[in-house]
Amino acid sequence: MEARHLRYAVALAEHRHFGRAAGALGIAQPPLSKQIADLEREVGTRLFDRTPQGVFPTAAGEAFLARARRALDEIAAATVDAGRAARGETGRLRLGFIASALLDPLPGVLSRFGRERPDVRLELHEMATSRSGPALVAGELDVALTLGAPGGAGAEHLVSVPVGRDHVIAVVSTTHPYAGQQSVDADQLRRQRLIVSAGEDEPAVVGGLRTLLGTDSAALGGATVARDVHTIIGLAASGVGVGLGPSRMRAVPRPGVLFCEVTPHTPLPDLVLSFAARDHSPVLCAFLDTIRKHCPDVGSVLDDRLRPRT
């Protein structure tokens, strides 16, 4: 029994006439009569009474048609669902990210993706770069935002694209002596009580601060340690000291603080988007399209990384 047999039976029940039903189906009457007869033989009972007044379902036919209509509805729904899945409109996306990605660009990307793909289930996991890289390789994540490209075993099978560049900036309270300055230099910072982050990606950030202040800097050794950039900003606002963190801190609105550049300019590792090179799932492709729209300067780099190599 095929779906067309169900459609033929339903059409015949609706039109109550072989000729009219055949016309609606776009086939000739003899093939329709034969298909209905074949269907009745397969079911093992007569489904329609043929009378001078028309063709009418039997009791068996009514029972058969009730399920046939539901089956056709399910087939139509399955076709719709398959198309939506193929377009990345449904499914699941597992995203790992470092906390500072929530400053920029993740809020805009997630907001846009949610509007464009409301039926995709997002599974969001805050985790350090050291954990998200192996999770990508193991297939436990679909995409990750990390501080620097993931490394280690299997990382060669990942596609990694920078989506944000960062450098060290300072944050001070509006009553601090440095408030209003366009920049502060390393010598000034060495004379201050500093506030730095102690997140799991701290080694990469500390490396930049040691480059700036010196490997054996007493100021860095005696710094107040904060969990994340929000705590750095909060402690700076409280007058505890000078907070040092990524330039993305500027995205955090907070009264009572001012940001200033740090000289010399001290780069931090890039914010990097990574995913498995073998993953061509429609949902991931849809997410990458959102990245292209939200971060236009990333699109050409991403396309280059995805272009087949000859």
Side-chain angles (χ1 to χ4, degrees):
M1 188 182 304
E2 301 176 14
R4 61 189 172 89
H5 294 118
L6 306 184
R7 289 195 294 271
Y8 292 168
V10 169
L12 185 57
E14 290 175 351
H15 292 279
R16 300 189 176 185
H17 188 278
F18 276 101
R20 290 194 295 270
L25 292 165
I27 62 175
Q29 180 174 332
L32 175 60
S33 299
K34 183 180 183 303
Q35 293 294 325
I36 295 297
D38 290 344
L39 176 62
E40 290 176 322
R41 277 194 296 273
E42 183 173 352
V43 173
T45 188
R46 185 164 42 84
L47 300 177
F48 293 94
D49 282 329
R50 286 81 164 165
T51 74
Q53 289 74 37
V55 181
F56 302 95
T58 63
E62 292 288 4
F64 179 85
L65 287 165
R67 290 190 177 272
R69 291 187 178 97
R70 289 197 293 271
L72 290 172
D73 288 343
E74 285 297 313
I75 291 171
T79 302
V80 171
D81 289 348
R84 297 191 67 210
R87 293 188 297 272
E89 295 175 3
T90 61
R92 175 184 67 170
L93 184 77
R94 299 165 299 172
L95 170 65
F97 61 93
I98 58 171
S100 63
L102 286 172
L103 302 178
D104 183 69
L106 205 48
V109 170
L110 290 181
S111 176
R112 187 167 193 162
F113 187 74
R115 291 194 305 271
E116 295 176 350
R117 298 288 192 276
D119 294 326
V120 171
R121 186 171 77 255
L122 283 172
E123 295 182 7
L124 305 175
H125 307 275
E126 181 184 345
M127 58 175 64
T129 297
S130 59
R131 294 173 53 212
S132 57
L136 270 177
V137 172
E140 297 167 1
L141 292 175
D142 302 306
V143 65
L145 282 165
T146 59
L147 195 62
E156 68 275 12
H157 301 301
L158 302 178
V159 176
S160 296
V161 180
V163 294
R165 289 182 164 79
D166 236 330
H167 61 277
V168 176
I169 64 169
V171 56
V172 297
S173 73
T174 51
T175 59
H176 192 278
Y178 295 167
Q181 292 186 196
Q182 292 297 312
S183 65
V184 295
D185 61 34
D187 287 336
Q188 290 176 302
L189 292 174
R190 292 188 188 100
R191 298 194 296 269
Q192 294 294 313
R193 184 174 183 182
L194 302 180
I195 309 161
V196 299
S197 173
E200 289 186 79
D201 285 300
E202 174 65 5
V205 177
V206 167
L209 296 180
R210 285 176 176 163
T211 299
L212 173 68
L213 300 173
T215 302
D216 300 320
S217 169
L220 189 57
T224 297
V225 176
R227 182 177 181 275
D228 54 33
V229 295
H230 297 280
T231 308
I232 291 175
I233 295 171
L235 290 175
S238 302
V240 171
V242 178
L244 295 177
S247 53
R248 284 195 300 278
M249 287 197 304
R250 295 184 188 275
V252 181
R254 172 82 189 227
V257 298
L258 294 169
F259 296 96
C260 54
E261 292 294 327
V262 171
T263 57
H265 180 86
T266 304
L268 292 175
D270 292 339
L271 182 67
V272 175
L273 173 80
S274 299
F275 54 92
R278 66 180 182 276
D279 189 349
H280 304 290
S281 71
V283 171
L284 176 61
C285 291
F287 185 76
L288 296 180
D289 283 341
T290 300
I291 292 288
R292 288 184 180 91
K293 295 173 186 174
H294 190 80
C295 311
D297 54 332
V298 174
S300 59
V301 178
L302 183 58
D303 291 340
D304 181 66
R305 300 286 171 85
L306 292 175
R307 189 174 295 118
R309 303 300 180 188
T310 57

